[in-house]
Amino acid sequence: MIAKWFPNVVWEDVWAATQETVYMTLASAVATFFIGLLLGLFLYLTAKGNPWQNRFFYWLVAAFVNVFRSIPFIILIILLIPFTRALVGSIFGPSAALPALIIGAAPFYARMVEIALREVDKGVVEAAQAMGSTNRHIIFKVLIPESMPALVSGITVTTVALIGYTAMAGTIGAGGLGTLAFQQGFQRTNPDVMVVATVVILAIVFVFQWIGDFFTSRLDKR
C-alpha cells in the first residue's frame, strides 16, 4: 500500500535526511540558546537604569541584533558563504549550514531574552541589591531563574523557526529534508517525495513544540 501511494520515496534517504535535519536543529538551537542568552543579558544590563548602564555599548549590540535579525535568511546564507567556507572548509552539508543558522537565530532569541528579563519584578532585583548581592549573584540567582519559563518558551519558538531555516538551507545543498524535497521532489517532479518530507518536518516541529511546552509548564510556578 505504501509503495503504491509513494512510489518515488526511498525511505533510507528519508531517514538519513531526517537525521541531518535533527542534527542541524539541535546543534544550532544549543548554540543559539547560549549566544542569544549572552546578547540578551548584555542588552538588559546595559540598558538605561540597569547595573551596567552604558548607552554606547547598548546601541552597539542593539544595532548588531537588529541588523542580523532583519536580513532574510536565504540572503544571509549567501552573504555568509565566504565566512562559512573559511570556518568549515565547505559551503555544502549540514555542518556548513550551522554558522548561518546560528547567526540568523541568535539575534532573534536575544530580543526574546531581553524581553523576558525586563518582565522580572524589579522589586525582587532591588531586594537582592539591598541585601548586598553582587551583579553576578543577581544574574545567576535572580534574573535567570525568575525568567527561566520565558527563556525556555522563547528557545522553543526559535527552535521551531530553525527547523524552517534548515529546510530553506537545504535548497542550496545543506542536506536534510529541505534538500530531499527540493532535489528529489521538486526538481524530479515527484510530489510524493515532497509530501513525505513535509509531513516529517511537521512531525519534528510538533515534537520540539511538545518538549518545549512540557518544560515551560514544569518551570512556571505561577
Side-chain angles (χ1 to χ4, degrees), residues 1 11 13 37-38 58 73 96 109 113 117 124-125 149 215 222:
M1 182 67 75
W11 294 101
D13 291 348
L37 183 61
L38 286 175
Y58 179 85
F73 183 68
Y109 182 58
V113 172
L117 295 174
V124 178
V125 177
F215 282 106
R222 290 173 296 180

Side-chain angles (χ1 to χ4, degrees), residues 173-192:
L177 292 162
T179 295
L180 182 77
F182 183 69
Q183 293 182 351
Q184 297 189 27
F186 177 73
Q187 290 186 327
R188 299 181 187 179
T189 321
N190 295 324
D192 55 333

Side-chain angles (χ1 to χ4, degrees), residues 57-138:
F57 284 115
Y58 179 85
W59 174 86
L60 193 65
V61 177
F64 172 83
V65 167
N66 288 340
V67 167
F68 283 94
R69 194 179 59 148
S70 304
I71 299 175
F73 183 68
I74 196 69
I75 296 175
L76 181 65
I77 296 176
I78 297 170
L79 289 175
L80 290 175
I81 283 177
F83 174 74
T84 301
R85 184 180 286 116
L87 187 67
V88 184
S90 171
I91 61 170
F92 299 107
S95 295
L98 295 180
L101 290 169
I102 295 166
I103 293 173
F108 176 74
Y109 182 58
R111 283 298 186 192
M112 290 188 173
V113 172
E114 184 188 14
I115 293 170
L117 295 174
R118 283 180 178 174
E119 291 178 351
V120 174
D121 189 347
K122 282 194 175 295
V124 178
V125 177
E126 290 169 357
Q129 290 172 326
M131 288 188 289
S133 298
T134 63
N135 288 336
R136 185 167 65 87
H137 283 114
I138 291 173

Side-chain angles (χ1 to χ4, degrees), residues 160-181:
V160 170
L162 277 168
I163 296 169
Y165 288 173
T166 64
M168 279 190 275
T171 62
I172 60 170
L177 292 162
T179 295
L180 182 77

